[in-house]
Amino acid sequence: MVELIKYNSTIFVLFFAFFVASFSSFVIAQSDMHLDEVWEKRGAEAWNRTLESYEPNPEKIVMHINENIHRSLKELNAEDGLNSTRRQLKKANNGECMATNPIDRCWRCQPNWVDNRKRLADCALGFGYKTKGGKDGKFYVVTDSSDDEMVNPKPGTLRHAVIQKEPLWIIFERSMVIRLNQELIMESDKTIDGRGVTVHIAHGAGITIQFVKNVIIHGLHIHDIVPGSGGLIRDSVEHYGYRTKSDGDGISIFGAQNLWIDHVSMRNCFDGLIDIVQASTGITISNGHFTDHNEVMLFGASDSYTQDEKMQITVAFNHFGKRLIQRMPRCRYGYIHVVNNDYTHWNMYAIGGSQHPIIISQGNRYIAPPQNIFAKEVTKRDYAEESEWKQWTWRSEGDLFLRGAFFVQSGDPNWSKKHPEISDALPAGPATQVYELTKFAGALKCMVGKPC
């Protein structure tokens, strides 16, 4: 009898274990099925938005930002002589606000900026110029730095804010460090505005902008990002689903449109600082300060994903600083305008790519590594013979090269003559003034009641 009881108990335990495993598989399968249906629909909608956002004449966008740069420099030179000789990532010595590029001059230097935060939404230039973020929505104040609930985020947390359906302008009650337990998946029409406090996204997962539109990320410190383990994560008020392990990017942009990343300070993420893939377009990365990282920016993740031909990105007024190695950016396909950035450090190369991206480098300062004689070249082509990459349009116009730095151009040598609207009529700001244009790169220390 004892043996029979043991035997029956064993059967019961095995049957129960089989039932639990089968039920769990069913739940996950149902979750995956629901996830696939939801995300497939979002992906189809995102591709349609990419086609709508794509600029058939990108040179017009290039010319527009160049016009604004020249106007700002003219105003700035009239206000105060430019005679600084060293980088100072702080305010002018007299304590007054000194906005030095056209994006900053649009909103900074106003003592009432905190009462008119949404003016920022009218200041984007470059391919992300359409981005308005949460301008048409209410303010959402983040009061809680925790991130404990992935499926039912607590009101007052950043995760709860970004999944809301309606437009929101998200600000922070106080300075805080937010450790994300899983990737932070955003909904459309949001602004994350870190001005007036100090906000760190650190020591956890990063930010994911997938199949959405119209997002501004401004004034954050993003660093020491690690992969999220994956699991059930809410991605909107109406849906949550199973996510696999995240890559560990600081900001991951996947199939998204009309985005603006401005005045961020980023370093030391597991994968990239900013990765932009899957036909994302209409994007500006401006006024960023990037340090302490290997593979900084990846634009296009697959040689086989030809839809990235629609990718259009502006990289402007950024400082690529200490202890960076490569990919500033590394591009596949697309049209990339790199204008008035300060490249003071790299250890392998600054700008690279494959699959014939169009890269227009204008008015940048490139300072090669002082010791590594094999890293003087700014550019690097991958997976193509010289006979092939010589056909790619990679042009350098008005760039400044120091310590032996050099840019290997390719494509039509008469390209500039064929586009006088951006090269002859109004080129980028002079590379000799890049220090001034990027002087306040990174998250600003804005104080309430004072010009930012």
Side-chain angles (χ1 to χ4, degrees), residues 1 47 57 130 144 165 177 188 204 227 253 256 258 298 331 340 343 365 374 379 385 389 398 449 451:
M1 179 66 70
W47 174 244
N57 298 304
K130 297 177 184 177
D144 187 340
K165 192 172 185 178
V177 177
S188 295
I253 298 171
N258 300 331
L298 177 65
C331 315
N340 287 147
Y343 289 85
R365 180 169 73 165
F374 301 104
T379 51
E385 298 294 331
W389 63 251

Short mmCIF file of all heavy atoms in Angstrom, two decimals, residues 1 47 57 130 144 165 177 188 204 227 253 256 258 298 331 340 343 365 374 379 385 389 398 449 451:
data_model
loop_
_atom_site.label_atom_id
_atom_site.label_comp_id
_atom_site.label_asym_id
_atom_site.label_seq_id
_atom_site.Cartn_x
_atom_site.Cartn_y
_atom_site.Cartn_z
N MET A 1 0.83 -1.21 0.00
CA MET A 1 0.00 0.00 0.00
C MET A 1 0.87 1.26 0.00
O MET A 1 0.58 2.20 -0.70
CB MET A 1 -0.92 0.01 1.22
CG MET A 1 -1.82 1.27 1.31
SD MET A 1 -3.02 1.35 -0.02
CE MET A 1 -4.09 0.00 0.45
N TRP A 47 5.95 51.97 -41.38
CA TRP A 47 6.51 52.05 -42.72
C TRP A 47 5.77 53.08 -43.57
O TRP A 47 6.39 53.85 -44.31
CB TRP A 47 6.46 50.68 -43.39
CG TRP A 47 6.89 50.71 -44.83
CD1 TRP A 47 6.12 50.41 -45.91
CD2 TRP A 47 8.18 51.08 -45.34
NE1 TRP A 47 6.84 50.55 -47.07
CE2 TRP A 47 8.11 50.97 -46.76
CE3 TRP A 47 9.35 51.50 -44.76
CZ2 TRP A 47 9.19 51.26 -47.58
CZ3 TRP A 47 10.45 51.79 -45.58
CH2 TRP A 47 10.36 51.67 -46.97
N ASN A 57 13.79 65.77 -51.58
CA ASN A 57 14.87 66.72 -51.88
C ASN A 57 15.61 67.07 -50.59
O ASN A 57 15.42 68.16 -50.03
CB ASN A 57 14.30 67.98 -52.54
CG ASN A 57 13.61 67.69 -53.86
OD1 ASN A 57 14.21 67.11 -54.77
ND2 ASN A 57 12.35 68.08 -53.97
N LYS A 130 10.31 68.46 -38.12
CA LYS A 130 8.85 68.34 -37.90
C LYS A 130 8.50 67.93 -36.48
O LYS A 130 7.32 67.97 -36.10
CB LYS A 130 8.27 67.32 -38.87
CG LYS A 130 8.40 67.66 -40.33
CD LYS A 130 7.84 66.53 -41.20
CE LYS A 130 8.05 66.80 -42.68
NZ LYS A 130 7.58 65.66 -43.51
N ASP A 144 8.36 59.92 -8.97
CA ASP A 144 8.84 58.67 -8.38
C ASP A 144 9.93 58.09 -9.28
O ASP A 144 9.69 57.83 -10.46
CB ASP A 144 7.66 57.69 -8.26
CG ASP A 144 8.00 56.42 -7.51
OD1 ASP A 144 9.20 56.09 -7.39
OD2 ASP A 144 7.06 55.75 -7.05
N LYS A 165 -1.36 57.16 -23.99
CA LYS A 165 -1.74 57.29 -25.40
C LYS A 165 -1.71 58.72 -25.89
O LYS A 165 -1.36 58.99 -27.05
CB LYS A 165 -3.15 56.69 -25.60
CG LYS A 165 -3.54 56.49 -27.04
CD LYS A 165 -4.85 55.72 -27.15
CE LYS A 165 -5.20 55.41 -28.60
NZ LYS A 165 -6.44 54.62 -28.72
N VAL A 177 17.95 59.71 -10.05
CA VAL A 177 18.59 58.66 -10.83
C VAL A 177 17.56 57.57 -11.03
O VAL A 177 17.00 57.04 -10.06
CB VAL A 177 19.84 58.10 -10.12
CG1 VAL A 177 20.45 56.96 -10.93
CG2 VAL A 177 20.86 59.20 -9.88
N SER A 188 3.98 57.33 -28.90
CA SER A 188 4.17 58.52 -29.73
C SER A 188 3.83 59.80 -28.99
O SER A 188 3.19 59.79 -27.94
CB SER A 188 3.28 58.42 -30.99
OG SER A 188 3.66 57.35 -31.81
N GLY A 204 20.92 50.54 -15.54
CA GLY A 204 19.84 49.62 -15.88
C GLY A 204 19.67 49.60 -17.38
O GLY A 204 20.61 49.87 -18.14
N PRO A 227 21.95 45.43 -20.79
CA PRO A 227 20.78 44.78 -21.40
C PRO A 227 19.71 44.45 -20.37
O PRO A 227 20.03 44.04 -19.24
CB PRO A 227 21.36 43.50 -22.01
CG PRO A 227 22.82 43.77 -22.18
CD PRO A 227 23.19 44.66 -21.04
N ILE A 253 16.39 53.22 -31.51
CA ILE A 253 15.34 53.75 -32.37
C ILE A 253 15.08 52.74 -33.48
O ILE A 253 15.99 52.39 -34.24
CB ILE A 253 15.74 55.11 -32.94
CG1 ILE A 253 15.95 56.12 -31.79
CG2 ILE A 253 14.69 55.63 -33.92
CD1 ILE A 253 16.54 57.43 -32.24
N ALA A 256 11.01 54.27 -36.44
CA ALA A 256 10.33 55.45 -35.90
C ALA A 256 10.58 56.67 -36.78
O ALA A 256 11.54 56.72 -37.55
CB ALA A 256 10.79 55.72 -34.47
N ASN A 258 10.30 61.20 -37.14
CA ASN A 258 10.20 62.54 -36.55
C ASN A 258 10.62 62.53 -35.09
O ASN A 258 9.81 62.62 -34.16
CB ASN A 258 8.78 63.10 -36.70
CG ASN A 258 8.36 63.20 -38.16
OD1 ASN A 258 9.20 63.37 -39.06
ND2 ASN A 258 7.07 63.06 -38.42
N LEU A 298 25.11 53.75 -34.45
CA LEU A 298 24.89 52.87 -35.59
C LEU A 298 23.62 53.29 -36.30
O LEU A 298 22.54 53.31 -35.71
CB LEU A 298 24.77 51.42 -35.12
CG LEU A 298 24.47 50.38 -36.21
CD1 LEU A 298 25.64 50.28 -37.18
CD2 LEU A 298 24.17 49.02 -35.58
N CYS A 331 27.26 54.03 -40.82
CA CYS A 331 26.00 54.14 -41.57
C CYS A 331 25.86 53.05 -42.62
O CYS A 331 26.83 52.67 -43.28
CB CYS A 331 25.93 55.50 -42.28
SG CYS A 331 26.42 56.90 -41.26
N ASN A 340 28.94 70.77 -38.46
CA ASN A 340 29.43 71.60 -37.34
C ASN A 340 29.52 70.85 -36.02
O ASN A 340 29.11 71.33 -34.97
CB ASN A 340 28.55 72.84 -37.19
CG ASN A 340 28.78 73.86 -38.28
OD1 ASN A 340 27.85 74.57 -38.68
ND2 ASN A 340 29.99 73.95 -38.81
N TYR A 343 34.90 66.83 -33.33
CA TYR A 343 35.45 65.49 -33.12
C TYR A 343 36.84 65.64 -32.50
O TYR A 343 37.85 65.76 -33.20
CB TYR A 343 35.56 64.73 -34.44
CG TYR A 343 34.23 64.32 -35.03
CD1 TYR A 343 33.48 65.19 -35.82
CD2 TYR A 343 33.74 63.03 -34.83
CE1 TYR A 343 32.28 64.80 -36.38
CE2 TYR A 343 32.53 62.63 -35.38
CZ TYR A 343 31.80 63.52 -36.15
OH TYR A 343 30.61 63.12 -36.69
N ARG A 365 35.08 69.90 -37.17
CA ARG A 365 36.49 69.92 -36.78
C ARG A 365 36.89 68.50 -36.39
O ARG A 365 36.33 67.90 -35.48
CB ARG A 365 36.73 70.88 -35.61
CG ARG A 365 38.20 70.92 -35.18
CD ARG A 365 38.49 72.05 -34.22
NE ARG A 365 37.96 71.80 -32.88
CZ ARG A 365 38.33 72.50 -31.79
NH1 ARG A 365 39.20 73.49 -31.92
NH2 ARG A 365 37.80 72.23 -30.62
N PHE A 374 48.03 55.13 -37.17
CA PHE A 374 47.16 54.35 -38.04
C PHE A 374 45.69 54.77 -37.91
O PHE A 374 44.81 54.15 -38.53
CB PHE A 374 47.30 52.86 -37.73
CG PHE A 374 48.69 52.34 -37.88
CD1 PHE A 374 49.48 52.08 -36.77
CD2 PHE A 374 49.24 52.15 -39.15
CE1 PHE A 374 50.76 51.60 -36.91
CE2 PHE A 374 50.54 51.68 -39.30
CZ PHE A 374 51.30 51.40 -38.18
N THR A 379 37.55 58.47 -42.06
CA THR A 379 36.56 57.60 -42.68
C THR A 379 36.99 56.13 -42.71
O THR A 379 38.18 55.82 -42.70
CB THR A 379 36.28 58.06 -44.11
OG1 THR A 379 37.54 58.20 -44.79
CG2 THR A 379 35.56 59.39 -44.12
N GLU A 385 34.99 46.54 -52.10
CA GLU A 385 36.26 46.83 -52.74
C GLU A 385 36.31 48.32 -53.10
O GLU A 385 35.27 48.98 -53.23
CB GLU A 385 36.41 45.99 -54.00
CG GLU A 385 36.44 44.49 -53.77
CD GLU A 385 37.65 44.04 -52.97
OE1 GLU A 385 38.69 44.72 -53.07
OE2 GLU A 385 37.56 43.03 -52.26
N TRP A 389 33.33 51.22 -53.48
CA TRP A 389 33.05 52.35 -52.58
C TRP A 389 33.43 53.69 -53.19
O TRP A 389 32.96 54.74 -52.73
CB TRP A 389 33.68 52.16 -51.21
CG TRP A 389 35.17 52.08 -51.06
CD1 TRP A 389 35.90 50.98 -50.74
CD2 TRP A 389 36.12 53.16 -51.14
NE1 TRP A 389 37.24 51.28 -50.64
CE2 TRP A 389 37.39 52.62 -50.86
CE3 TRP A 389 36.02 54.52 -51.41
CZ2 TRP A 389 38.56 53.38 -50.87
CZ3 TRP A 389 37.17 55.30 -51.40
CH2 TRP A 389 38.42 54.73 -51.14
N GLY A 398 34.43 72.15 -46.31
CA GLY A 398 34.73 73.13 -45.28
C GLY A 398 35.12 72.54 -43.93
O GLY A 398 35.08 73.24 -42.91
N GLY A 449 14.20 80.51 -13.04
CA GLY A 449 14.31 81.95 -12.81
C GLY A 449 15.52 82.59 -13.45
O GLY A 449 15.71 83.80 -13.35
N PRO A 451 18.26 82.57 -17.07
CA PRO A 451 18.44 82.07 -18.43
C PRO A 451 19.16 80.72 -18.40
O PRO A 451 20.04 80.49 -17.57
CB PRO A 451 19.30 83.14 -19.10
CG PRO A 451 19.04 84.38 -18.30
CD PRO A 451 18.84 83.91 -16.89
#
